[in-house]
Every structure is written in structure tokens, then in C-alpha cells.
């Protein structure tokens, strides 16, 4: 059953960069020093995989609050690394599949990767891949076991793989042993005031005078929520102002913004 | 299996407005300022979806006690928005289906929506869609996971979607992560005395003198229960008076009403 | 599967009155004021359904201890209402069926009812319909969800339905949300001394002198148990006296009765 | 599935008395006044069923410690009642069957009974029929629900049925509502000293002098264990004495007996 | 399904003694008075079965710590009893079978036994037969129920059966009612110092001077572990001495032994 | 089903040494006295199996923290023992298989082993073989029961087997009875300072002066993590230094190392 399912999954080369780009539809802005530091460390791991003698498999987990930019960072590393095989495994493309078929899809990506001398595999939103829900908790043990084994299984001789996982449920992953199956774990934080100011300056929707109080108000927010709040404010109190804001003709009124 | 089920679901355009109108069979009366405020905010979100650059998907949850008017409001927004594709997903049309078939139906609606430049999808009574029951609690994790993914999956380029969910079990939805998968959440309250008076005046079944004490008695009631109580009172003590009341020839006797 | 099951259930008109009569094989005696009051209120609901403008569906739950006469009352209302479609849904006729088939049967009755301008559906012993058992507790969530949806789904335009449910496990039904899905709930009590005396007088098995002490002894008993105790006493200490009692030739000896 | 199973069960008339006799392979001895009292009361119920106007179904539960003689008593009543249809339903004849097939067998017996004007059905060891095990506890809800319905369903007009259940797990049956589904419940006790003496006198394996001290030692024992202990003692200390004892040539040595 | 499985199991006569002998591959040594006492009592039960009038079925449970010699004793009784049908039911011969097939195998052995006038059935390691694991605890209720019924079901007229069960999880068996389904239960202990000395003397691997301190060190050990420790010691500190020890040319060095 | 699965598994001789070598891709370095001691004891067990009279089956469990070198040690013993049949059973080669198929694979290896006079079977990462996850906990009881039986079942006459298990979840294995099914258990520790120094000296990536402080920093680390940390440090602060380090032209800068 499983093997049949495995067969039916057709290999997918090349399409992957598109998938990765979709993870950063707003492009990438500088999110401050803490984000940058993790980015550099993870790029070093990619380099280590390239030259490694004794570690053909390195695994790295990016964890942090929902919307903090984990997937965007993993995608960026995948794109920048210039590895011949880069693939993101995400629940989006497996909606409604049975546990067994999901396993087959995941295994397939690893098998494909083993054919390339250098690969990056992104396991996006691991809690969603394993169908986690806090009540119970419930999750797919079949998929969990598959991940536990894949995170330890060495690629064939001469093939090197970097696996990047993302999650906003790191405590749960720890409980089921998946966090400790990764070689290293990095925490992607929300934006501090300083980080938020940097982001706002790049967005150019506030007048220079208002950036500081806006950043103060957005302190400790994930970047995703920052975008949402700014966009709601850009509508204006009665709607209809968005175009003027985005075209740069107008700035967001700081008082309206602070009420959002 | 799932894919087959998916295929078999035939697209359904046009019929939707009928479905939406059935959610407001008594028409719409003014339920007071708190209801109106939420209505306006949600209409602003619909506008934001129309003009958005970076947020092709906005999701909004209406939560509140049973019978408080959530579905009626969502339907009204769907009708008033003038979006080309508006569709309500409700447990009523999926009685007795397996979890898998329900998933397929839900996914199908999203896939259809992705073909329209602007869409509204109403996920009505989410706890019922996921077959929630408080004991256990039990619920369909398959459908929950599907919703969790669909609430985050971006539509294809150039397609924008507003998802409106309704629920009277917001605490449960929070526990399983569905509430936080929505961008914003609004609370639809029961009617305060002031709201109830406004509604009663529009119904015209009490004499002007009695409206105040009737509104007082109906304080803190969902609009659905208000309608039920008024209608029971309209029967009169021995039955048979309803027609006279509804035709306006007679008013409800306040004393009989207060005994109901 | 479910749909096939649905198809296979052939419509059943007309036979229903027989089913209802079987619920009152001993006929109906006057059980006192509290029973009568509930009877009248429920008959008023039937009238309300007939004339209602905005409430095509009214739902009413009769709850109370086992054997207190709930089913008999629901059946009586069904018979007296003179509605063209009256149907009782009971676990008796679904022994050994799978959850899915039971659902199909239940849905079928509602679908049939939607074809009649006026209908009464009796959901008898709801805890038995949903296969409830206190340990766990366990129950069929499939059937529960079906009932939850059916109790809220509006009939087609121009069709009005009264649903009467009965249960002796109202606390459980509350926990799973079924009790609150009903518009109104009435409590059918056991017989007080006064009620028991009234019943005994109608049975004519005690001498006038003994009725009072017998009623005292039967205080706070459901009517079903009253019948059982009286019948056991009617056998006499050594058996063989029943015929004489029932034919009226002899009365039950009060001392023997008090020992039962 | 269930219906097919139901069909396949072929009716079984006549063979039943054999089954009943096997429940009392040692014959019946007098177990003292408490056993006799229950026997007489249950025989009265059989008579009540015969003459009843309003109770075509009477149900009676015999409960008590394992080996206290419940099954033997039920079988005796079945044999002595002279009812045309008497049938014992026991787990022995359903080893290894699925829950569904067991249900079908049970339902079949009731259906067969409905064809006879007077029937006795013995539900032997109900906890075993429903596959009860204390850990969990676990049990078959399918069979439990079937019993709950069958214990309340009225036979067709003109057919009267007495159901006798036996159990040594009355507390569990109470928890799942089966005990209260019976009209009456009787407790079959272990043997007190007086009862044990009576039994021993009938067995004639002790000298008259020893009966008293033997009865004292066997106080508060179920009759089954009494038989086992006596038989072990009858072997003698080194074995080989049994024949002499049973043929009456020798008596059990009281000292050896007290050591067993 | 079950019945088919039952059919497919072909009868197995004669092979049994081989199976029994394999349970005592080291032969039988005298394990002290407590073991001998239980052996004699159980042999008496075998005799009782032979001559019994009223107890065609006697059941006896041997319980005790793992490796204490329960299976070896049961096998020995099976061999020494000279019954025409002796069969051991063990998990070893049912690896990987479904619960249903295991049931069928077990039932088959009983059915075969019913064809012989005298039989012994050994239910070896009952917790393993029912797939017990302490966490949960989990176990096969299907097999448990089958055993519960088989342990009470009387063989056909003229056929007598002795069932010997073994277990090292007697508390668990008590909880699920299996222990109390046996007529008698005996506890097989570990070896006390006195018992251990007796065993060591028979093994002849220590010099007479060392037997006492060795026995002291082995106090309160199951016989299986005693064998293992002695054999490890027989290897010598650097290995290679085993042959000399077993051939009797050399004795185990007591100091090395005490370090093991 | 199971038997079919069993058949389909084709025997696998000879390939095993490859599998074993892959468990030590970095070769073997001396990990200090505690590791060596366990290695020698386990080799003695292999010898004992060879010469044993009464113990054709010896089972040994290596337990310790993740990455401490258990699998590498088991593989080394398998290679060094020179037994004709050596086979490792690992979850890696059974990804996605059903419980039943995994059982069949495991049983197959044992059956193959029974055909060789001397065999070693390595059950690698037993918690992974039985699909253990800490939450619940959940695990495959089917596989657990199979292991419990296989760990006790004697090979056929003249065939001797050594089973070596590895695990980092020894407490869990104890709870489900698997740990106690092994004859002996050894604990493989992390590296103490002394052990770490020994390993580092063999790696030759630190200058002699830095080895001490590096070993101090690596105290109490499993060997796997030691390798990872050293390799990360070998990259240098900006990357690009690895080649120079591994070729011996350069040493790791101790300060950079201590920051890793
Ligand atoms: N550095 C960045 N510059 C610009 N936009 C960003 C950046 N990082 C993230 N975003 C945007 O913020 C949103 C959230 O980012 P992303 O999906 O990566 O977060 P996440 O941590 O993976 O969230 P989740 O936990 O929900 O998966 C996305 O729309 C993404 O495009
Ligand atoms: N503004 C309104 N004017 C008139 N009728 C209304 C209004 N809002 C709701 N109703 C009516 O009140 C009843 C309950 O409303 P609705 O079904 O929207 O509530 P709900 O909050 O979705 O309830 P539930 O939690 O049971 O789904 C309906 O009959 C609806 O037609
Ligand atoms: N008013 C009445 N007059 C005469 N007999 C009655 C009356 N009400 C109930 N009975 C009889 O009493 C018995 C129990 O009544 P019924 O079955 O309606 O009770 P119930 O509350 O539905 O019990 P349960 O909870 O077991 O379903 C029946 O035999 C019924 O015929
Ligand atoms: N009155 C009696 N006279 C002689 N033997 C009896 C009598 N009652 C019971 N026995 C015998 O005692 C044994 C146990 O009786 P029985 O099986 O009826 O007990 P039980 O209460 O049904 O036990 P369980 O709870 O195990 O089903 C049987 O062998 C039966 O033949
Ligand atoms: N009396 C004896 N003389 C010699 N060897 C014995 C004796 N009793 C047991 N043994 C041996 O000791 C070992 C353990 O005995 P056995 O398997 O009977 O124990 P057990 O209590 O059944 O263990 P478990 O609980 O693991 O099933 C076996 O190898 C058996 O051959
Ligand atoms: N003595 C050794 N010399 C050199 N390398 C070793 C030695 N022991 C282990 N290793 C290496 O260390 C790593 C971890 O070893 P191994 O896989 O045996 O650990 P483990 O205890 O089995 O871990 P796990 O619990 O994850 O299964 C492997 O890469 C292995 O090659
Ligand atoms: Mg993400
Ligand atoms: Mg609603
Ligand atoms: Mg009823
Ligand atoms: Mg019995
Ligand atoms: Mg044993
Ligand atoms: Mg390992």
C-alpha cells in the first residue's frame, strides 16, 4: 500500500524555486540583528554540509511564534544556498491525504534528495505535517515516526543533505522527541521596538516623525501581524485611502493607526 | 479516495445567494450599536481584500452566544459585498457524510473561490463542521487540520479571498488553534435592554407603553430567543390570538408576556 | 454509503398511528395537574407551529425519570394534534443497525416530514438513539451531530415541523449540547401522593378505604413502577388471585400490598 | 451485515431443555431459606406473566457472587415453569463470534420467543455476554445497547415474555443502566453455616458428628466452592480414597478436610 | 471469519510431548520443599480429574516471578500424568497472528481435548497469550473473554479436563477476572538459600567448600537466573574455561563467581 | 496476511556487513575505559553463546543517552565476533511499513538466524522499532509482543543465538517488560573529561596545548555531539577553514571553539 503510494508520487525537480518564492511574497526586509544572526549561522551549516567529511546529514530547526518569519527565512536560505536540489515539504500540498500518502510524499522527497550530491529539504510547519492538535494532544504517530527515522538516516555515500525544519510548537516537538532529533535549534523572535522601527522605515508608509511611536506600539509583534495592522490602518477610518498610501502620495495618520 | 471525492463534487455557482437569504428568513432589523460596529469593521475588511497588495487572504471570525445573529450577519456581508463568488459552507448540507467527504466539499469551495478574482467564503458554525462535542472533547481532526491549512494557504496570484467564520464555541476553537489562525476575531453579543427596545419597536407587537418593560424583561437575550418568546406570547394564554397580533389588529398583553 | 443507505429506506406513511398507540397500551389515565399542565403547553406549541410566520421549526424536549410517562405523553400529543404527518423515531426499530444506517433512518423521517405542510416528529429516548452509556461516557457522535444539525435546520418554505424529544438523561444531553438545541424543555415528574391517589381511583383495584394508604406508599414513584407494583400485589400472596381482582370481584388486600 | 447474520441464525426449538439441564449437572439440593424464597418469588413472576393484562414483558435479574447458584436457579425456573419456549443465551455458545454476530444471536432468540404465547429467556452471565472486563472498564457497547432495547421492547400483542438475567457484576450493570432496565432484582447469597449444614447432610460424605464443624468451616462460601473443597478432601491425603467416599463405604476425615 | 480460521487449524496429536520436553531442556533438578509440595498438590488434582463425578473440569494456576520454573513444572506434570491428550498453548507458536486467529487456535485445542476422555491443557504465560503490556494496560479483550469462557465451560459428558495456567503477572490476571476463574492458584517461589544449595550440589560446578557461599549469594533468585549466573562464571575471567568446568575437570573459582 | 507478508520477505545473507560498517562511518576511536569494559563483557557473552550447553539464547541490552555510541558498539561486536550470521534490524529499512510487515521482517531475521549454527541479531533502537512516542505513551503493541516472545523463544536444537539490543529509552522498555526480557543490560555512558581528551587526541584537530581545555568543555557529552561541535568549530568564524583543519595544515582556534 505504502510502496504503491510511494511509486505513484512522481519526482518534482525545478518547480521548487517557485514554491520557495511564494513563501516570501512581500520580499524580504531587514528584521534586525537577531534575525540576521540566525540567518548567518544557518548559512554556515549549509557550507558545513558542502565540505563535511563525517557528517553527510545536518539538521536544523527554526522555532518561534506564529508569523515570526520562520518559513520566509528557511525559503531564503534554500534560494541563496545554490544547492542543486532544494525542496519544501508543506501541509498545503497534502490537504486531505491519508497519513500513509503523506508519509510517501515525504519519503519521496528524501529519496529524490539522495540522488543529488547536495540538497536542502525544508520541513515546513512540522506540527501541521504531523496533524498536531493541542487537545489530547492528537497527532499522526505514523508521520512522526517517519520523520524521526528520516532525521537520523544517513544519505548514501557521497550525498550530503541539510534539513531545515520550522515550527511554532517547539514544546510539543520536544515532548515527542523530534526537537532532539535535530542537530541544532534556533529561536526566531518577534520584533523588538528597534527591529520594528527598522521594518517601518523600509515600508515608507509613515512620516519620519511618526515612525518612532508606531514602532513603540508594534513592539513584540511577529512581522506577519505588523504587516496586517499596517495594512488595516492604511485603509483609513472610512476606507478608500489605501491606494494613496501605497503609492506614497499620503502617509498613514498616526492617531488612526494607534486606534487599530 | 479523497481525490475521487473531490472530483465528484460539482461546482456550484449562483445558487449561493439563495443559501445566504435563507440565513435571514425574518429579514434584518437594527440590533443596536455594538452589532452595527462589527458589521462596519467587517465590511472594511472586505474592502481591504479588494485593494490589498500583500494580503491576498484575510480571515475573520464572528463568535458569540448561540442565536446572537452571527450567521445572519455573515450572510448579510456576503450579500452586500457584491463579490462575484460568495459561498456558505454549513453542516446542514453535509449531514451524514464521512469526514473525508466533508473535507472534499470544503476544499472544493476553496478551489472554486481561487478561480474568481474576489471571493467570500463563510465557514458557518465551525464547531459543527468539525463535529465537535464537549464530552471528551471529540471532534474531527481531519477536518480541523484541513481548516487550519486552508486558513493559511495563499490563493493563487491575482485572486483575493475573505473568509468569515462563525462559532459559538470560541474557547474550544482557541484550544485547537483555529481561533488564532484567523487574522481578526469579533464578539457578537446578546441584546442589551437598549438593543432589545430597538428591536421590539421595529416588530410592532407591543403597545408603546409596554415596550419598555418588555425590553427590560428581554435584556441580555440572543435575538433568536427574543423572537421565540415574543411568538409564544403572541399565541395568547389559550392560543388563537396570533393572527390578530401579526396583522396588527391587536397587541400582546404585557402581563401574559411576562409570564412566558 | 450513507446516501445508498438513505435511498434504501422506503417511506412510511400511515403506519405511524399504530406505533403511537403501542406507546400507551394501558390507555391514558389522569396523572395530576403537573402532567396536565405540560400537556397543554405542548399542545399550544403544536398550534404555534401551525400559524407561525417566522418559526417553521419548533423543538420541545420532555425529560424526566424513567417510566414517568414521557413517551406516552409525546404519543398522545402526536395523536391528538391531527397533523397529517406524525412519526416516532425509536431505538426499538433500529436494533443492531450501524450508526450510519441509524442516521439514514433518522434523516429519512425528516426528509419525509419536509414533504408535508405540517409534521410532528418524536425522537424517543434520545440517549438510546445515540447509544449512550454512562461509562466513559460513550455514545455515537455521528448520530449526535446529525441530531444537532436536524434540530436547527429549517424545513423548506411552507413546511412547518414540531419536534418532540424524550429523555431520562437530560444532564448528559445538556453536556453534549442537544438539550440547548431544543427551543423549550419540560420536566415530567414522578407521581406525588395526590397524583398517585388519582391514578389508583381510576384503576379500581383497591377498596375506597385503602386508596389513601396505598397512594401514600406509592408517593414519588413513576407511573410505570406504580403499575408494576399494583400488578404484583394483584397476584396475591400465593398467586392465583389476579383474575378475581381484574374482573372487579375482589380488591387487593392492603397489607399484602404494603409488603410488596 | 447484521441482517444477514440475523438470517443465518437458524431457529432452535426443543434443544433448550438439554442446555438447561447441563446447568445443574449435580442435580439440585436445598440451599436454605434465602435461596428458596427467591425461587418462589421468581416463580410468582412467571405466573404473573401468564395472566398479565398490561405487562406482556416482565424482567428479573438474579445477582450474587460467582458460583452462588444463579444459573442453576434460572435453569430450574425455566424447566419448572412449563412455558412452551424456554431458551438460555450464554457466552459459551458464542465463543469467538464478533459483536455483531452475538447481537444477531440474541435478537434471534427474542424474535423466536415472540412467536410463542409464553416464553422464558435466560440471559446468563450478562457481563460475559457484553464482554466486560474490569480494566477500563471495557465492554461491548453494541451488545449493551441491544440488551437495553430488548429489555424494554414490548412483545407483539398476545405474546408474553419473562426475561431472567444472571450476573456477578451487578455494580457494573448498574453503572451502564442494565440493572435498572430490569423490573426486579434479587440477590442470591453465599451459603451461611445453617445452609451449608443442610447441603452437607444431603451429600452424605461426612459422619454425622463431623457435619457441624465442616459446615462451620464452609460458612459464607458459594455452593460451587463448597463442592470443590469437599471433592478435594474426598481424595484423601495421598489420593485414591475418592471412590470409597462416593460409594458411601467411607467418610471424609474431618481433620484432613479442615486442612484443605 | 473466526469459524473459517477455526476450520483451518488442523488437529495436532502426538507432537505435544516434544513441545513439553523443550520446556525443560536442562532436565529437572530438585528445587526444594516448596516446589515439591506444589508439584504433589497439582498431581493430586490430575488424579481428582480422573475419578471425579461432579467436576469434569478442574483449573489450576501456577503463578510466580519470571524464571521461577512454572512452565517447567507444568510440563513435567503434563508428562508424568500419563493423560492421553496433553497440549501446551504458548505464544511462541502464534507469533504475529491476529487476535482472532489466536482465539481460533486456543479454541481448537479445547475442542480437540473434548474428544479425549482425559486431557491436560497448559495455558503457558497467560499474560503473553492475551498480549498484555503494563502501560495502559493494554491486552486483547477478545482472547481474555475467550479464556474466561473456556475456563468455565464444561466438557461434554464423559470427558474430563485439567487446565494448568502459568503467569508471572498474577495481579493483572486478578484484575481482569482470570485468576478467579481458576479453581485453585499456587505460588511458585524463587529459590531460598537452602533450595539454591540443593540445586548447586546437583550441578557439581563448585567445590564442596564453595557451595555454601555460592548458595548464599544466589539466595532469592529464580532458577533461570541461577543457571545464567553460573554459566557466566563458568567462562572464567578471560573466557575459555567453560569446557573444563562442564567436563568436571575444573571447578568455578568462587571469587570470580562472586564478582559476576 | 501476516504469513503472506512473511513469505514475501526474501532472505538476506551477506549484505549484513555493509549495513554494520555504515554504523561506524567515522571508524572507531578509543572512548575510554568504561566503554572498553562493556565491549569486553559483551564479547565474552558472544563466546559463552558459542560454547554454551544449556543456554542456546543469550540476550544483551546496550542502553544509554542518544549518540553515546551504542549502535557503533553493537555493530563492532557483530563484525569482530566472526559469527556466520550477523544481522542488524533497524527502523531505517522499514520506513512506512505497517506494524504487521515490520513484525514479519523481524520474525524473518530470527527464522534466518535459526538456520545458522551461530548468529548475532542486533535490534537497533528498539523504541523506534516499536514506534514509541512519549506522549500517551504510544507504541506498537503488536511489535512489542513479537519482541517479547522472540527474546524468550529458544532456537532449534544445535543453533545458538546472541541478541544485542540498543535503546536510549530504557525506562520505557522497563515499563513494558522488554528490558527484563534481556538476560543482561549494560549502560553506555557519555564521555567524561578523561574520555573526551582521549578522543580529541586521536582526532588531531587541536594543538596539544588546547586539548585539555577543549576536553573540559566537552565533558559529559555523547560522542556524536562531540563530533558535531568539533566540526562546526572547524568551519571557522566566517566559514572556509574546514579543509585546512582536516588536512592538518591548521588547528582549530580554541577561543572560537569555546564560543560554539
Ligand atoms: N524578512 C521579511 N521581510 C519581509 N516579509 C517577511 C519577512 N519575514 C516574513 N515576512 C512575511 O511575514 C509573513 C509571515 O512570515 P512567515 O510565513 O515566514 O512566518 P512563520 O514564522 O513561518 O509563520 P507561521 O508560524 O504561521 O508558519 C509572510 O507574509 C512573509 O512573507
Ligand atoms: N439583525 C437581525 N434582524 C432580524 N433577525 C435576525 C437578525 N439577526 C439574526 N436574526 C434572526 O435570529 C435568528 C438567529 O440568528 P442566527 O442564526 O444568525 O444566529 P447565530 O448566532 O448564527 O446562531 P447559532 O449560534 O445558533 O448559529 C435567525 O432566525 C435570524 O434570522
Ligand atoms: N397517563 C398515563 N396513563 C396510563 N398509563 C400511562 C400513562 N403514562 C404512562 N403510562 C404507562 O406507563 C408506562 C411508562 O410510560 P412511558 O413509557 O411513557 O414512560 P417513559 O417516561 O417514556 O419511560 P422511559 O424513560 O423508560 O422511556 C407505559 O406502560 C405507559 O403505557
Ligand atoms: N441448588 C443446587 N444444588 C446443587 N448444586 C447446585 C445448586 N446450585 C448450584 N449448584 C451447582 O453449583 C455450581 C455453581 O452453580 P451456578 O453455575 O448456578 O452458579 P452461578 O452463580 O451461576 O456462578 P457464576 O457466577 O460462575 O455463573 C454448579 O456446578 C451447579 O451445578
Ligand atoms: N526444576 C528444574 N530443574 C532444572 N531446570 C529447571 C527447573 N525448573 C526450571 N528450570 C529451567 O529454568 C529455566 C526457567 O524455567 P521456566 O521457563 O519453567 O520458568 P518460568 O517460571 O516459566 O519463567 P517465565 O516466567 O519466564 O515463563 C528454564 O530453562 C528451565 O529449563
Ligand atoms: N567508538 C567510536 N569511535 C568513533 N566514532 C564513534 C564511536 N562510537 C560512535 N561513534 C560515532 O558517533 C555517532 C553516534 O554513534 P551511535 O550512532 O553508535 O550512537 P547511538 O548511541 O547508537 O545513538 P542513538 O541513540 O541516536 O541511536 C556515529 O556517527 C558513530 O559513527
Ligand atoms: Mg511558517
Ligand atoms: Mg449560526
Ligand atoms: Mg420513553
Ligand atoms: Mg452462572
Ligand atoms: Mg514460563
Ligand atoms: Mg543507535
Amino acid at each position: 500500500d505504502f510502496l504503491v503510494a510511494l511509486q505513484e508520487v512522481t519526482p518534482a525537480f525545478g518547480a521548487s524555486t517557485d514554491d520557495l518564492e511564494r513563501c516570501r511574497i512581500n520580499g524580504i526586509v531587514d528584521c534586525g540583528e537577531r534575525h540576521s544572526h540566525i540567518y548567518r549561522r544557518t548559512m554556515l551549516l549549509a557550507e558545513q554540509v558542502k565540505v563535511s567529511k563525517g557528517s553527510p546529514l545536518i539538521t536544523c530547526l527554526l522555532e518561534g511564534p506564529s508569523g515570526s518569519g520562520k518559513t520566509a527565512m528557511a525559503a531564503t536560505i534554500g534560494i541563496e544556498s545554490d544547492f542543486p536540489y532544494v525542496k519544501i515539504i508543506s501541509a498545503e500540498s497534502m490537504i486531505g491525504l491519508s497519513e500513509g500518502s503523506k508519509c510517501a510524499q515525504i519519503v519521496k522527497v528524501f529519496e529524490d534528495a539522495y540522488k543529488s550530491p547536495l540538497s536542502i529539504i525544508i520541513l515546513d510547519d512540522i506540527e501541521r505535517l504531523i496533524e498536531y492538535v493541542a487537545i489530547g494532544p492528537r497527532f499522526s504517530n505514523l508521520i512522526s515516526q517517519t520523520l524521526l527515522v528520516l532525521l537520523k538516516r544517513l544519505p548514501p555515500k557521497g550525498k550530503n543533505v541539510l534539513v531545515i525544519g520550522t515550527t511554532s510548537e517547539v514544546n510539543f516537538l520536544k515532548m515527542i522527541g523530534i526537537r532532539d532529533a535535530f542537530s541544532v535549534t534556533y529561536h526566531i523572535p518577534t520584533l523588538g521596538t528597534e527591529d520594528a522601527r527598522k521594518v517601518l522605515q523600509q515600508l515608507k508608509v509613515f512620516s519620519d516623525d511618526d515612525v518612532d511611536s508606531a514602532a513603540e506600539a508594534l513592539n513584540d509583534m511577529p512581522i506577519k501581524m505588523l504587516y496586517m495592522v499596517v495594512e488595516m490602518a492604511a485603509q483609513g477610518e472610512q476606507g478608500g485611502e489605501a491606494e494613496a498610501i501605497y503609492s506614497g502620495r499620503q502617509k498613514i495618520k498616526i492617531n488612526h493607526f494607534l486606534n487599530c
Side-chain angles (χ1 to χ4, degrees), chain A:
Chain A
D1 191 20
F2 177 76
L3 291 174
V4 170
L6 196 53
Q7 235 78 25
E8 282 169 357
V9 182
T10 53
F13 289 98
S16 41
T17 317
D18 264 33
D19 285 359
L20 296 176
E21 284 301 352
R22 270 179 63 86
C23 298
R24 344 181 280 175
I25 56 163
N26 296 320
I28 287 292
V29 301
D30 177 353
C31 288
E33 182 46 33
R34 289 174 305 163
H35 278 235
S36 306
H37 176 75
I38 295 166
Y39 175 72
R40 287 192 307 271
R41 298 294 300 228
T42 315
M43 285 302 282
L44 266 183
L45 290 179
E47 202 193 333
Q48 182 178 341
V49 164
K50 272 192 202 159
V51 304
S52 173
K53 296 271 126 84
S55 310
L57 175 70
I58 293 183
T59 54
C60 165
L61 181 63
L62 304 180
E63 62 88 0
S66 182
S68 59
K70 303 174 296 291
T71 303
M73 187 182 291
T76 302
I77 289 160
I79 293 169
E80 308 274 300
S81 70
D82 271 331
F83 275 39
Y85 183 89
V86 181
K87 183 83 187 167
I88 184 164
I89 298 176
S90 131
E92 286 193 11
S93 58
M94 302 194 288
I95 290 181
L97 295 189
S98 70
E99 291 180 59
S101 302
K102 287 182 183 179
C103 271
Q105 299 256 24
I106 294 170
V107 169
K108 177 73 187 166
V109 171
F110 277 81
E111 298 287 350
D112 285 354
Y114 295 163
K115 291 169 194 153
S116 163
L118 284 176
S119 312
I120 289 180
I121 295 170
I122 299 172
L123 293 169
D124 193 35
D125 238 347
I126 295 177
E127 67 271 25
R128 201 55 53 235
L129 292 178
I130 61 179
E131 304 176 1
Y132 164 73
V133 66
I135 287 181
R138 297 200 218 162
F139 58 97
S140 161
N141 195 22
L142 183 61
I143 305 179
S144 301
Q145 296 296 328
T146 300
L147 292 182
L148 282 168
V149 174
L150 289 174
L151 286 169
K152 294 244 175 150
R153 184 167 72 165
L154 296 183
K157 209 155 193 169
K159 315 294 182 187
N160 290 358
V161 178
L162 172 64
V163 176
I164 303 176
T166 79
T167 187
S168 37
E169 295 286 352
V170 73
N171 286 332
F172 172 68
L173 293 197
K174 187 166 169 45
M175 279 189 289
I176 63 170
I178 287 188
R179 203 207 61 171
D180 290 347
F182 280 92
S183 323
V184 286
T185 298
Y186 295 122
H187 175 74
I188 313 288
T190 54
L191 303 175
T193 308
E194 199 45 53
D195 307 321
R197 181 177 315 128
K198 216 175 251 174
V199 170
L200 290 181
Q201 280 162 352
Q202 295 165 82
L203 292 184
K204 305 212 172 94
V205 290
F206 286 98
S207 72
D208 292 357
D209 294 355
D210 292 343
V211 159
D212 274 12
S213 42
E216 192 74 47
L218 295 169
N219 176 35
D220 204 30
M221 208 173 252
I223 179 151
K224 187 177 187 176
M225 204 185 292
L226 180 150
Y227 271 82
M228 177 73 191
V229 173
V230 167
E231 199 170 79
M232 282 174 73
Q235 294 293 108
E237 234 158 313
Q238 314 296 332
E241 303 183 15
E243 212 178 343
I245 304 278
Y246 294 139
S247 66
R249 278 181 285 132
Q250 200 180 313
K251 296 291 174 195
I252 292 175
K253 294 191 195 80
I254 185 72
N255 283 336
H256 170 55
F257 170 78
L258 296 175
N259 285 336
C260 273

